[in-house]
């Protein structure tokens, strides 16, 4: 521990252990914690909370930016600390508790959490726990690898606990761009007109009187666990590159494209890697998270600038960023997620949005969150912020899952996160369906022909043709069959017909793995 990282001497006396700092958090409180997609999350105080819960009642509402690393959600869920959780998670243990009704989960568009706190739609934050690399002479908190909702938590919380992570170099200072939205009704337009523009401060300003504790840690972020591109994701990337090249040739966008956004996960990361093989240059990103693919594009010169709310990187790539910080700091801005995901800016910049679907139906409605329409996987994240407002809203998925027992293209999605009005392009490894300017019956034909796996294509055509013949309407459906593929899976553990029946609970568990 070195006090050099606390450059405001009045705060030196606030240093204490994580156990002592956790005492500021009491049963029933609302806690705002830094962390966005395993980046910039707090390490020590959450563990101390879980340990304390072993000997006394302690249940809280936990609000973060997005998902946490270091199994923090698992540790808190196992300790029964979490009564309510929002706005996003990816932990299997917490997911089971959510689906069992033991933790109340609020699935939110990531741009809305800070806004709802500001508007008092949610219970106010009692304690904020924020990871930082240092505190400046003027009481400015320098975040680490994410900003997320930290600025709003600090602005609202009665008590602020700061975890200074000595494993993160102080050279991160200058990478962040903190802009706070004004209160309504006199809010002004956000003055950002380009992805590489900086409009705020490089720090989160602290009210020193509300700083309750400072804890030192040395544990790095959990490394990204995304898989490398495979044959299917490379095919998806190739379809998208060809499509965007056609858009440029048609004069609908410049050869530098419009700013890119990509959701978290293996498929989105692999699709971005595909731009390395493209002819595009001078690209920019205005996204919510930067993965290894964004760093690779910066290294190759394909990407000129990247803006996001967090960096979620593998260990080797993170070290490369640290070793070449001046290069990356001039090309990356980390912002609050209510700015990175702000619909006003997404619409203004003309974002090309690339997000992942669990499944989509023959009319283009997308399910991103709920297995069989009932069981939460992770959450909607920021995909809705971008899909509704993007210049191009693209959703990608492999055409099949579970070794072919699940089709990602179904007659009707049992849960809808993004309706057909917000979806422009659907892509699987089979092909790309451009849905712009098409009516529902035209969309169905194009999706089935271009995106469905051959094992399921004829059955989808048969369903659609019979729906047109017997049901009719603007969006034909056979209501007694619309979810039959999902119920078939629950009974047989396959969407394909003629499989031996298996218990419903066993099928649900297999689908969630």
């Amino acid at each position: 521990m070195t006090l050099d990282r606390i450059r405001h001497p009045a705060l030196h006396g606030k240093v204490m252990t994580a156990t002592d700092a956790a005492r500021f958090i009491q049963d029933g409180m609302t806690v705002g914690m830094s962390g966005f997609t395993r980046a910039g999350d707090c390490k020590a105080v959450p563990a101390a909370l879980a340990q304390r819960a072993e000997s006394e009642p302690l249940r809280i509402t936990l609000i973060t930016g997005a998902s946490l690393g270091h199994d923090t959600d698992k540790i808190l869920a196992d300790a029964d600390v979490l009564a309510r959780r929002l706005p996003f998670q990816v932990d299997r243990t917490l997911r089971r508790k959510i689906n069992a009704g033991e933790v109340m989960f609020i699935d939110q568009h990531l741009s809305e959490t800070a806004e709802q706190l500001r508007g008092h739609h949610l219970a106010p934050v009692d304690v904020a726990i924020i990871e930082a690399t240092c505190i400046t002479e003027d009481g400015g908190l320098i975040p680490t690898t994410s900003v997320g909702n930290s600025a709003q938590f600090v602005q609202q919380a009665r008590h602020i606990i700061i975890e200074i992570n000595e494993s993160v170099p102080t050279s991160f200072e200058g990478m962040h761009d903190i802009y706070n939205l004004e209160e309504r009704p006199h809010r002004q337009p956000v003055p950002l007109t380009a992805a590489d523009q900086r409009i705020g401060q490089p720090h989160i300003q602290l009210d020193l009187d509300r700083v309750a504790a400072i804890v030192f840690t040395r544990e790095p972020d959990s490394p990204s666990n995304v898989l490398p591109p495979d044959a299917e994701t490379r095919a998806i990337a190739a379809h998208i590159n060809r499509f965007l090249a056609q858009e440029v040739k048609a004069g609908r966008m410049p050869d530098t494209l419009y700013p890119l956004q990509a959701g978290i996960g293996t498929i989105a990361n692999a699709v971005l890697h595909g731009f390395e093989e493209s002819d595009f240059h001078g690209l920019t990103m205005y996204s919510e998270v930067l993965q290894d693919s964004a760093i690779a594009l910066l290294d190759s010169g394909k990407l000129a600038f990247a803006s996001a709310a967090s960096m979620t990187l593998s260990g080797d790539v993170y070290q490369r960023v640290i070793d070449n910080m001046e290069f990356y700091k001039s090309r990356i801005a980390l912002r609050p997620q209510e700015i990175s995901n702000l619909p006003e800016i997404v619409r203004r910049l003309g974002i090309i949005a690339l997000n992942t679907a669990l499944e989509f139906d023959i009319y283009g409605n997308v399910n991103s969150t709920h297995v069989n329409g009932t069981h939460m996987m992770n959450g909607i994240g920021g995909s809705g912020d971008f899909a509704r407002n993007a210049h191009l809203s693209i959703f990608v998925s492999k055409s099949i899952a579970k070794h072919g027992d699940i089709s990602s293209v179904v007659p009707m999605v049992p849960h809808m996160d993004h309706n057909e009005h917000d979806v422009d392009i659907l892509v699987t490894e089979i092909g790309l369906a451009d849905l712009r300017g098409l009516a529902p019956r035209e969309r169905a034909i194009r999706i089935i022909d271009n995106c469905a796996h051959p094992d399921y294509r004829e059955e989808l055509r048969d369903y659609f043709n019979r729906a047109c013949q017997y049901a009719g309407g603007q969006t034909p459906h056979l209501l007694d069959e619309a979810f039959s593929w999902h119920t078939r899976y629950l009974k047989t553990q396959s969407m394909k017909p003629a499989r031996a029946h298996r218990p419903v609970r066993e099928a649900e568990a297999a689908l969630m793995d």
Side-chain angles (χ1 to χ4, degrees), residues 92 95-96 371 377 402 506-513:
R92 181 176 297 184
R95 183 186 304 146
R96 290 196 186 105
V371 173
M377 277 294 289
K402 297 292 182 185
E506 180 184 334
E508 285 184 337
L511 194 57
M512 294 291 289
D513 284 340

Side-chain angles (χ1 to χ4, degrees), residues 378-452:
N378 301 328
I380 193 169
S383 55
D385 297 323
F386 291 96
R388 171 62 61 92
N389 301 284
H391 172 74
L392 283 173
S393 174
I394 303 172
F395 280 90
V396 300
S397 176
K398 294 186 178 183
S399 65
I400 54 175
K402 297 292 182 185
H403 308 291
D405 283 323
I406 294 174
S407 173
S408 298
V409 187
V410 296
M412 181 188 285
V413 290
H415 178 90
M416 186 191 303
D417 294 292
H418 312 281
N419 64 50
E420 60 181 285
H421 310 292
D422 297 338
V423 179
D424 298 317
I425 312 291
L426 291 171
V427 194
T428 68
E429 79 280 5
I430 304 300
L432 181 147
D434 183 352
L435 307 178
R436 294 173 297 174
L438 300 184
R441 293 187 187 219
E442 296 170 314
R443 293 163 73 95
I445 294 170
R446 186 161 295 182
I447 290 169
I448 294 169
D449 288 350
N450 290 15
C451 295

Side-chain angles (χ1 to χ4, degrees), residues 144-148 172 174-179 192 194-202 285-290 295 298 303-311 325 327-337 339-340:
T144 57
T145 49
S146 73
V147 179
F172 264 86
M175 182 176 283
H176 309 89
D177 186 57
I178 311 300
Y179 181 90
L192 192 147
D196 60 356
Q197 191 176 356
R198 295 179 184 270
I199 59 174
Q201 301 295 321
M285 285 189 70
Y286 195 85
S287 192
E288 57 192 352
V289 60
L290 304 181
I295 304 303
L298 285 169
L303 185 64
F305 195 89
S307 168
S310 79
M311 291 193 302
M325 181 57 77
F327 171 84
Y328 293 107
K329 197 158 58 175
S330 65
R331 292 164 175 82
I332 293 174
L334 296 182
R335 313 180 193 272
Q337 69 194 66
I339 301 299
S340 70

Side-chain angles (χ1 to χ4, degrees), residues 96-203:
R96 290 196 186 105
K97 291 210 166 195
I98 289 168
N99 289 321
E102 297 172 19
V103 175
M104 295 295 103
F105 180 59
I106 303 173
D107 185 23
Q108 288 188 321
H109 298 298
L110 294 187
S111 69
E112 291 188 346
T113 307
E115 196 75 276
Q116 290 195 9
L117 285 168
R118 186 181 292 108
H120 309 292
H121 301 301
L122 301 172
V125 174
D126 295 299
V127 178
I129 315 172
I130 310 296
E131 184 178 81
T133 181
C134 62
I135 301 171
T136 70
E137 294 85 350
D138 298 326
L141 182 148
I142 306 298
T144 57
T145 49
S146 73
V147 179
N149 283 318
S150 295
Q152 182 60 29
F153 295 155
V154 166
Q155 196 171 56
Q156 186 175 96
R158 292 189 293 114
H159 298 293
I160 302 167
I161 300 172
I162 301 167
E163 287 196 7
I164 292 183
N165 191 332
E166 293 183 294
S167 77
V168 181
T170 57
S171 56
F172 264 86
E173 187 171 352
M175 182 176 283
H176 309 89
D177 186 57
I178 311 300
Y179 181 90
N180 292 311
L181 294 176
E182 298 162 303
E183 298 285 347
R184 296 186 181 105
H186 303 297
R187 181 180 297 173
Q188 297 298 304
V190 175
L192 192 147
T193 57
D196 60 356
Q197 191 176 356
R198 295 179 184 270
I199 59 174
Q201 301 295 321
H203 60 261

Side-chain angles (χ1 to χ4, degrees), residues 316-395:
D316 290 344
V317 174
Y318 174 76
Q319 189 59 50
R320 186 159 78 244
V321 171
I322 297 303
D323 292 341
N324 300 276
M325 181 57 77
E326 292 308 310
F327 171 84
Y328 293 107
K329 197 158 58 175
S330 65
R331 292 164 175 82
I332 293 174
L334 296 182
R335 313 180 193 272
Q337 69 194 66
E338 65 173 344
I339 301 299
S340 70
N341 292 40
L342 189 65
E344 171 192 341
I345 297 175
V346 174
R347 182 67 63 90
R348 180 183 297 145
L349 298 184
I351 301 296
I352 300 171
L354 300 163
N355 288 290
T356 305
L358 281 180
E359 60 184 350
F360 51 86
D361 66 28
I362 59 175
Y363 297 111
N365 301 295
V366 170
N367 174 16
S368 297
T369 59
H370 283 69
V371 173
N372 276 332
T374 58
H375 281 58
M376 172 59 65
M377 277 294 289
N378 301 328
I380 193 169
S383 55
D385 297 323
F386 291 96
R388 171 62 61 92
N389 301 284
H391 172 74
L392 283 173
S393 174
I394 303 172
F395 280 90

